[in-house]
Amino acid sequence: MLHRSDRTLENIPIGGLGLIPIVGCENLGHRVNEYLVRWRQESNSIHKNDVTFTGFARDSFIIDTKIPRFGSGEAKGIINESIRGRDLFLLVDVCNYSVTYSLTGHSNHMSPDDHFQNLKRIIAAIEGKGRRITVIMPFLYESRQHKRSSRESLDCALALQELVNMGVSNIITFDAHDPRVQNAIPLNSFETISPTYQFIKGLLRHVKDLQIDCEHMMSISPDEGSISRAVYLANVLGLDMGMFYKRRDYTQIIDGRNPIVAHEFLGSSVEEKDVIIIDDMISSGDSIIDVARQLKKRKAKRIFAAASFGLFTHGLDAFDQAYQEGIIDKVLTTNLIYQSPELLSRPYYISCNLSKYIALIIDTLNHDGSLSKFLSPNERIQNIVAKYKRGEEI
């Protein structure tokens, strides 16, 4: 694991650290804050009498903000303390549908549009008083609408341009659906970080009899879009790789998309091998489960499905059934977006915690340090696999 003490943080901080979890991202924000508070209190003695490190350690880095709503559903962003000269990090979970607000007396669940608007409200309330603004948006808003195939909007590109036009200096996201969206803001800082290390760590912690080699394990891409993820996983673990491609019926549109006729497999035999299906998100889950069934028909041993974002838009019943039938053994997603209590209670579910990882990123950026070790976790992956093979605690 990359520890805070392993990094060179000799640079003077850009400004006093400020953390703003937007409504719906409070849980993640508070866990990140706990790490930052502890680390800085531990190292505060080094900079105690240095005026350039004033405010380096605090009881909490969370800025007091509110987003009240009027009875009509309209809202405004309010910052209740001084943020002048602060290096501000805004965390937003655009997928947290559990947050509700009153709309003319009716309870309305917040959509990604609502969360993005709240983010802009807080940026507007900063009024240019902050030293720098960094937006950490794990699930990139409108990232599924990243390219144009007919006369249609390019929502992700517009959102990124809107943020930088409002004064945002850095945009940090995780496992962007297509990293090429950064072409919309070519002169601005945009980073997409893969949680592959956390997937491997979570799997090794919960499954104790894995044989990590090309004879006993494979990495599988469920479609063309995830090939790079599966190739990376296969390369760092020394596995074979296979992929499915979706054969669609382009003569009709159902629920806004062309229905999938079949998943066709390309790759070597999966017989008696453990298989890791890796993707950026689980939406309804239909594709993942169909791919898992296809792999079982080809006599795969155990199937582990890993995705950065578990949306589960159609609920968990299909996954419950797949688990009971022995189709899927484990499902891994991160805590980067809202996780329902029902999901967390499932025996097959493994939650991969990235709170510490985000805290490390924030701490590094505040010192104007390099993120290269976060963008390329090869060494950490090799270390944790070596510990697993030696039977050591992970």
Side-chain angles (χ1 to χ4, degrees):
M1 176 63 189
L2 179 63
H3 295 282
R4 183 178 189 270
S5 57
D6 294 336
R7 296 171 297 124
T8 302
L9 295 178
E10 296 175 349
N11 296 351
I12 296 172
I14 293 293
L17 181 59
L19 195 62
I20 303 180
I22 307 299
V23 174
C25 204
E26 295 93 343
N27 288 341
L28 181 62
H30 283 292
R31 296 179 77 170
V32 169
N33 182 60
E34 287 171 3
Y35 282 111
L36 292 169
V37 168
R38 187 172 77 245
W39 293 338
R40 296 207 165 185
Q41 287 177 345
E42 289 171 355
S43 59
N44 188 40
S45 58
I46 303 171
H47 311 293
K48 193 171 185 179
N49 299 317
D50 192 335
V51 68
T52 57
F53 284 82
T54 301
F56 178 76
R58 301 169 67 95
D59 293 333
S60 176
F61 294 103
I62 294 178
I63 305 295
D64 182 16
T65 61
K66 296 286 186 293
I67 306 178
R69 287 186 179 268
F70 302 99
S72 60
E74 297 166 293
K76 62 179 177 181
I78 302 173
I79 298 176
N80 293 315
E81 61 182 275
S82 173
I83 44 86
R84 187 177 293 278
R86 294 282 194 95
D87 189 16
L88 299 171
F89 292 83
L90 282 62
L91 284 81
V92 58
D93 176 9
V94 300
C95 295
N96 193 343
Y97 60 87
S98 71
V99 183
T100 60
Y101 63 90
S102 177
L103 180 62
T104 61
H106 301 281
S107 182
N108 194 50
H109 287 265
M110 287 185 66
S111 71
D113 295 342
D114 294 316
H115 287 292
F116 186 68
Q117 195 65 30
N118 279 348
L119 170 66
K120 292 193 295 180
R121 289 182 174 112
I122 293 299
I123 295 173
I126 291 169
E127 294 182 325
K129 304 298 192 300
R131 178 70 54 82
R132 184 178 65 175
I133 299 175
T134 297
V135 168
I136 299 178
M137 186 186 295
F139 186 97
L140 187 61
Y141 174 69
E142 289 288 1
S143 57
R144 301 177 78 176
Q145 186 51 28
H146 63 286
K147 63 182 179 180
R148 177 177 285 153
S149 57
S150 63
R151 287 186 296 275
E152 57 189 32
S153 57
L154 285 171
D155 296 56
C156 189
L158 287 172
L160 293 175
Q161 291 178 354
E162 196 167 5
L163 290 178
V164 300
N165 288 337
M166 293 183 75
V168 173
S169 299
N170 303 306
I171 298 173
I172 308 290
T173 190
F174 285 79
D175 210 357
H177 193 62
D178 188 336
R180 288 174 295 183
V181 296
Q182 65 188 290
N183 292 339
I185 49 170
L187 300 180
N188 298 88
S189 175
F190 177 97
E191 301 290 356
T192 176
I193 299 171
S194 172
T196 305
Y197 170 77
Q198 283 75 16
F199 289 148
I200 294 171
K201 185 177 181 180
L203 189 61
L204 298 186
R205 277 184 168 176
H206 290 84
V207 183
K208 300 301 182 183
D209 59 344
L210 293 172
Q211 292 179 275
I212 306 172
D213 56 56
C214 61
E215 300 295 325
H216 301 92
M217 186 177 284
M218 277 187 73
S219 167
I220 299 292
S221 171
D223 54 35
E224 307 93 307
S226 285
I227 291 176
S228 60
R229 298 179 183 93
V231 167
Y232 179 78
L233 184 64
N235 286 342
V236 293
L237 295 182
L239 312 179
D240 279 341
M241 177 260 176
M243 68 160 287
F244 285 83
Y245 70 91
K246 297 173 181 176
R247 189 150 54 85
R248 295 180 180 271
D249 180 1
Y250 288 99
T251 64
Q252 55 180 321
I253 297 176
I254 299 176
D255 293 333
R257 60 184 180 179
N258 303 108
I260 298 169
V261 176
H263 285 93
E264 305 289 353
F265 181 67
L266 299 173
S268 57
S269 172
V270 299
E271 186 172 352
E272 288 305 307
K273 292 182 180 179
D274 290 328
V275 168
I276 303 174
I277 306 170
I278 188 162
D279 207 351
D280 61 332
M281 71 180 75
I282 296 174
S283 186
S284 66
D286 293 343
S287 292
I288 288 279
I289 292 172
D290 190 23
V291 164
R293 291 187 189 278
Q294 296 290 335
L295 290 168
K296 277 296 183 182
K297 288 179 182 177
R298 291 171 171 80
K299 300 182 180 179
K301 188 179 177 183
R302 290 177 294 186
I303 297 176
F304 310 109
S308 302
F309 308 106
L311 304 176
F312 302 103
T313 56
H314 291 182
L316 297 170
D317 292 345
F319 283 91
D320 293 342
Q321 184 178 346
Y323 174 69
Q324 291 164 7
E325 294 175 4
I327 303 298
I328 288 180
D329 289 82
K330 297 291 182 184
V331 175
L332 300 91
T333 70
T334 70
N335 69 331
L336 292 171
I337 63 171
Y338 172 71
Q339 299 164 297
S340 68
E342 294 77 18
L343 175 64
L344 293 170
S345 69
R346 292 303 194 264
Y348 54 82
Y349 180 65
I350 298 174
S351 175
C352 301
N353 186 359
L354 275 94
S355 305
K356 185 176 183 181
Y357 207 48
I358 292 174
L360 283 165
I361 291 169
I362 291 173
D363 199 29
T364 302
L365 283 177
N366 182 235
H367 285 267
D368 217 15
S370 171
L371 293 183
S372 58
K373 288 188 176 181
F374 300 98
L375 302 177
S376 181
N378 301 0
E379 185 180 343
R380 281 172 292 135
I381 291 173
Q382 297 302 330
N383 289 340
I384 199 169
V385 170
K387 288 177 68 176
Y388 180 82
K389 290 182 175 179
R390 293 194 300 265
E392 298 177 15
E393 188 75 22
I394 296 174

